[in-house]
Amino acid sequence: MRRTLLVVAAALMSAVSLPRAQAEAKRAASPNNASYRLTASLDPGSHTITGSGRLTWRNISRNPTSELRFHLYWNAWRDPGSSWLREQRLGRNAALANRPADDRGSIDVTTIQIGGVNLAERSRFIAPDDGNDQDKTVLSVPLDHPVAPDQTIEIDLAWTSRVPRTYARTGRIGDYYFVGQWFPKIGVLEDSGWNCHQFHAATEFFSDFGTYDVTLNVPAGWVVGATGRAIEETADRSGRRVRFLQSDVHDFAWTTSPSFLRREERFAEPGLPPVNMILLLQPEHADQADRHFAATRAALKYYGTWFGFYGYDQITVVDPVTIVDAAAQGESTGGMEYPTLFTAGTRWRVAAAGTQPESVTVHEAGHQFWYGMVATNEFEHAWMDEGFNTYSTARTMDAAFPGKFVAVDRFFGGLLPWAFTDVRWSREIDGNRLNAYRPVAGNDRQSTPTWQYWPGSASAITYNKTALWLATLERMVGWPMMQQILSTHFARGAFRHPSPEEFFALANEISGRDLTWFFDAVHRSAATFDYGVTDVLSTPRGGTIDHQVIVRRFGDGVFPVATRVTFADGSGADLTWDGRDPWHSFTLSKSSAIARVQVDPDRVLLLDVNYTNNSWSAAPMRTQAARKWALRWLTWLQELLLTHACFA
């Protein structure tokens, strides 16, 4: 696995052909301080995984520790009183929170042995975040002897996991298994103590880098995919045994099913290292293999060119089982990322002009960069992965798949797709997910630790808001500067878990501007942005007309905005305003009448939650408005009649 380090070193030395990025880049290698050698066996009959192995762990903090802390994520679905299920109810996802006991999952640890002493018997569950004594997702293990800084210990583990019917994009659907967060995973020891949060509904994961050497036993004839590269494989009537190996990763996930179709292609792009692409496809989606490969290639190409090379030999794309309305019940494993492995998501018969499966495949492949290699703390700063990746996905889709259509409906019970080709996909609106951000824009400060977000708005604040403010920053400083900021962030941050403050300082440094005001507004506050035209008053005076243009700040967010005035004679004026006061009046004298006024005409401020008030027109727009509402009602009527005809 040393190739990983060589590839990443080469990647960071040429992440972007810009002198500063090249000067900053150094040979990157993870600390590899949490390495696992595991063996696990799946019994589909009882839905259990029996596992054992050894964790080699090194204390890379500055202080000794007298305890170890482990994540037992699947215990989030063990008892109805877990914090994860409580938060699902808080977020009004009662259907998921109240599923039957047979759906549940669990992890039971029987051995945590150091130096021949089994410490499992003295371990206890703790709830460091909320004090919930019914939550069993964090296990504290007291030690006989403290582990000093830079000291390495070996911990023998044995456990049994019950695979749940799918929760949080892990689990089982029929004979399809996607297995993530399935073993006792050690937390991250920082200088300030253990960073080992409970499993929350609004968060994902955070762990240290290591080498994973994992042997999996599955039934005979079942196809297996996992983090890393398969280095050994045996098969007979009793089952299949596959050993996977990967260094410099911070997690290990796997999947197995007797139904997978396995396809393999090679990514080869001039100037980028080659990557072996493996696709595990559902049989009913066999005709979509090329689209999955094309989207994976797009992510490897554009992320690799813009930010830094992909640092591993292989990448595995998993096409999960699809259940209609699965998202409402939490029964989908689609759209999830793990090191060198991710799940995409599609349906039988997709629209050729639509954005699926391309957008989800690009997004999850892109996670290999911000989640996989930079690896920020997703319990506390999930926006540094999810938001960065949403922004990067939108930019990649715009470059690689222009002309897609976002409006795709499915008829006859979801069976047949139809793309409305007059509704084109937009990077600004659809890619950055503005519509989902608008209703919850002021619900949380993004600087709030992610696990403390209101569950109902966590996704929009994490993904959508970040993508919108990164795209706004791009329009402020220009793409070449933005690319340099992100490539340098990648170069400096790979394998280091960088903090928000590091990124903000880096952006100031690279841009040569003090952007503190911007990060205060978009990250450290819950301000919403809304600028618009209030009124246009015109008073004839001799041969000229005195115009008064009044613009207003309707939201509490402050941003400098431009106002463009277009006159009837074709001339125009661009006016500036710092955007601080509740309103501002521009006075102009001109011989021509005003035809149009636009606030933020170049749409720099993509966080504006209401574009409908951004413009004023002297010509009545009644016809356009009537057409819009008439078409909306006619579409609704058409769908109603089609439904009636289908079931009549």
Side-chain angles (χ1 to χ4, degrees):
M1 293 295 105
R2 289 299 91 191
R3 180 184 181 274
T4 297
L5 301 184
L6 295 175
V7 169
V8 174
L12 299 181
M13 288 303 295
S14 57
V16 176
S17 58
L18 296 171
R20 182 184 288 270
Q22 292 176 341
E24 291 292 345
K26 294 181 174 64
R27 185 177 187 273
S30 79
N32 263 329
N33 65 299
S35 296
Y36 291 82
R37 187 181 181 97
L38 305 175
T39 299
S41 300
L42 171 67
D43 178 5
S46 61
H47 309 305
T48 57
I49 297 170
T50 304
S52 62
R54 173 167 290 183
L55 163 63
T56 301
W57 181 76
R58 179 164 55 92
N59 179 1
I60 60 173
S61 78
R62 298 178 182 177
N63 301 309
T65 181
S66 58
E67 67 166 336
L68 302 177
R69 292 190 182 181
F70 288 87
H71 293 286
L72 304 181
Y73 287 106
W74 284 11
N75 281 346
W77 313 305
R78 186 184 198 112
D79 304 302
S82 74
S83 296
W84 194 91
L85 288 172
R86 285 183 178 182
E87 291 164 1
Q88 290 292 343
R89 295 186 189 96
L90 186 65
R92 299 188 178 182
N93 196 347
L96 179 60
N98 299 323
R99 280 164 52 184
D102 189 54
D103 284 4
R104 305 263 174 82
S106 61
I107 300 181
D108 291 300
V109 181
T110 56
T111 301
I112 303 175
Q113 184 170 293
I114 301 175
V117 179
N118 188 0
L119 304 178
E121 298 174 357
R122 69 177 77 165
S123 63
R124 63 187 181 93
F125 293 109
I126 61 173
D129 297 333
D130 63 10
N132 178 10
D133 60 7
Q134 297 184 61
D135 192 84
K136 297 179 174 62
T137 58
V138 176
L139 187 70
S140 173
V141 182
L143 300 173
D144 289 332
H145 306 286
V147 182
D150 206 39
Q151 181 182 350
T152 299
I153 60 173
E154 293 185 334
I155 307 151
D156 290 322
L157 302 168
W159 75 96
T160 300
S161 298
R162 186 176 192 279
V163 186
R165 184 167 176 84
T166 302
Y167 283 95
R169 293 173 289 184
T170 186
R172 57 183 166 85
I173 303 174
D175 58 7
Y176 163 74
Y177 286 76
F178 188 83
V179 185
Q181 311 305 332
W182 55 286
F183 60 95
K185 188 159 70 168
I186 196 164
V188 176
L189 182 61
E190 301 176 325
D191 292 343
S192 57
W194 282 99
N195 194 310
C196 190
H197 290 280
Q198 297 161 243
F199 195 9
H200 296 279
T203 61
E204 291 185 352
F205 317 107
F206 177 50
S207 51
D208 276 326
F209 286 91
T211 295
Y212 283 79
D213 185 339
V214 182
T215 300
L216 301 172
N217 296 292
V218 300
W222 287 42
V223 179
V224 185
T227 293
R229 181 166 53 90
I231 60 171
E232 294 179 14
E233 182 171 351
T234 59
D236 54 33
R237 292 181 180 178
S238 63
R240 170 170 286 173
R241 181 183 180 91
V242 189
R243 181 183 173 196
F244 293 88
L245 182 65
Q246 184 63 61
S247 63
D248 301 300
V249 292
H250 50 81
D251 206 348
F252 184 96
W254 55 286
T255 186
T256 186
S257 171
S259 302
F260 279 136
L261 302 177
R262 190 180 189 278
R263 302 286 186 263
E264 192 168 339
E265 292 191 7
R266 192 79 166 160
F267 169 78
E269 182 74 22
L272 298 175
V275 179
N276 190 45
M277 300 184 296
I278 298 170
L279 172 62
L280 302 180
L281 198 63
Q282 299 299 325
E284 63 270 25
H285 302 153
D287 60 343
Q288 298 180 38
D290 290 345
R291 294 181 69 169
H292 283 81
F293 280 125
T296 304
R297 282 191 174 91
L300 294 174
K301 173 184 175 180
Y302 286 101
Y303 282 63
T305 302
W306 293 336
F307 312 131
F309 302 167
Y310 178 69
Y312 306 98
D313 294 316
Q314 71 293 313
I315 191 167
T316 299
V317 186
V318 180
D319 173 32
V321 167
T322 301
I323 296 179
V324 177
D325 297 329
Q329 300 297 322
E331 295 186 35
S332 172
T333 63
M336 189 60 197
E337 69 282 354
Y338 284 97
T340 79
L341 173 97
F342 66 88
T343 59
T346 189
R347 299 277 294 273
W348 179 73
R349 291 190 62 84
V350 292
T355 59
Q356 296 293 353
E358 286 80 7
S359 62
V360 67
T361 305
V362 168
H363 185 83
E364 302 309 326
H367 270 303
Q368 301 301 317
F369 295 80
W370 302 124
Y371 151 86
M373 297 170 66
V374 177
T376 48
N377 184 343
E378 293 206 67
F379 284 108
E380 298 173 5
H381 317 299
W383 61 271
M384 293 189 73
D385 166 44
E386 299 290 1
F388 275 53
N389 196 41
T390 301
Y391 162 85
S392 306
T393 299
R395 207 172 204 289
T396 300
M397 288 292 295
D398 198 42
F401 303 104
K404 290 291 183 179
F405 306 102
V406 70
V408 178
D409 209 345
R410 300 186 75 94
F411 298 94
F412 304 106
L415 187 65
L416 297 177
W418 181 266
F420 294 90
T421 55
D422 55 344
V423 185
R424 290 188 176 273
W425 182 91
S426 159
R427 177 192 170 195
E428 293 79 8
I429 303 297
D430 305 301
N432 294 328
R433 310 183 187 184
L434 175 61
N435 289 336
Y437 166 69
R438 284 171 171 147
V440 299
N443 280 20
D444 267 309
R445 290 188 299 272
Q446 196 178 64
S447 56
T448 302
T450 310
W451 65 271
Q452 294 180 315
Y453 283 172
W454 177 257
S457 58
S459 176
I461 300 299
T462 299
Y463 292 71
N464 312 357
K465 183 176 184 178
T466 314
L468 289 162
W469 70 248
L470 283 170
T472 298
L473 181 60
E474 177 189 328
R475 295 189 173 202
M476 289 167 55
V477 303
W479 167 240
M481 183 66 70
M482 189 67 179
Q483 183 189 22
Q484 192 171 357
I485 290 171
L486 293 174
S487 64
T488 306
H489 171 62
F490 184 91
R492 293 183 187 178
F495 303 119
R496 286 202 318 101
H497 313 306
S499 69
E501 290 69 26
E502 289 179 85
F503 175 75
F504 299 147
L506 182 150
N508 288 342
E509 173 195 337
I510 300 298
S511 68
R513 300 163 60 173
D514 185 358
L515 297 168
T516 304
W517 66 271
F518 178 71
F519 298 126
D520 283 345
V522 301
H523 174 70
R524 301 183 183 102
S525 82
T528 59
F529 298 86
D530 182 13
Y531 287 89
V533 183
T534 298
D535 209 348
V536 176
L537 305 174
S538 299
T539 304
R541 183 172 59 86
T544 63
I545 305 173
D546 291 338
H547 300 291
Q548 188 176 14
V549 176
I550 303 169
V551 294
R552 179 172 290 277
R553 175 168 60 84
F554 295 100
D556 52 349
V558 174
F559 190 88
V561 291
T563 299
R564 180 169 297 157
V565 179
T566 304
F567 295 94
D569 63 4
S571 62
D574 285 335
L575 313 170
T576 59
W577 173 37
D578 63 14
R580 294 187 176 278
D581 293 330
W583 63 276
H584 186 78
S585 176
F586 296 103
T587 301
L588 305 94
S589 292
K590 186 80 172 178
S591 59
S592 178
I594 292 179
R596 183 174 176 82
V597 177
Q598 296 169 277
V599 172
D600 191 24
D602 298 321
R603 298 189 73 168
V604 175
L605 180 60
L606 294 177
L607 289 151
D608 194 313
V609 296
N610 182 13
Y611 281 117
T612 60
N613 61 12
N614 279 41
S615 61
W616 174 94
S617 174
M621 305 295 286
R622 290 187 295 268
T623 302
Q624 292 89 333
R627 182 184 298 116
K628 172 184 174 181
W629 287 106
L631 289 173
R632 175 170 293 188
W633 281 102
L634 284 171
T635 301
W636 176 84
L637 178 62
Q638 176 182 322
E639 292 190 358
L640 177 65
L641 293 173
L642 283 170
T643 303
H644 178 73
C646 179
F647 294 102

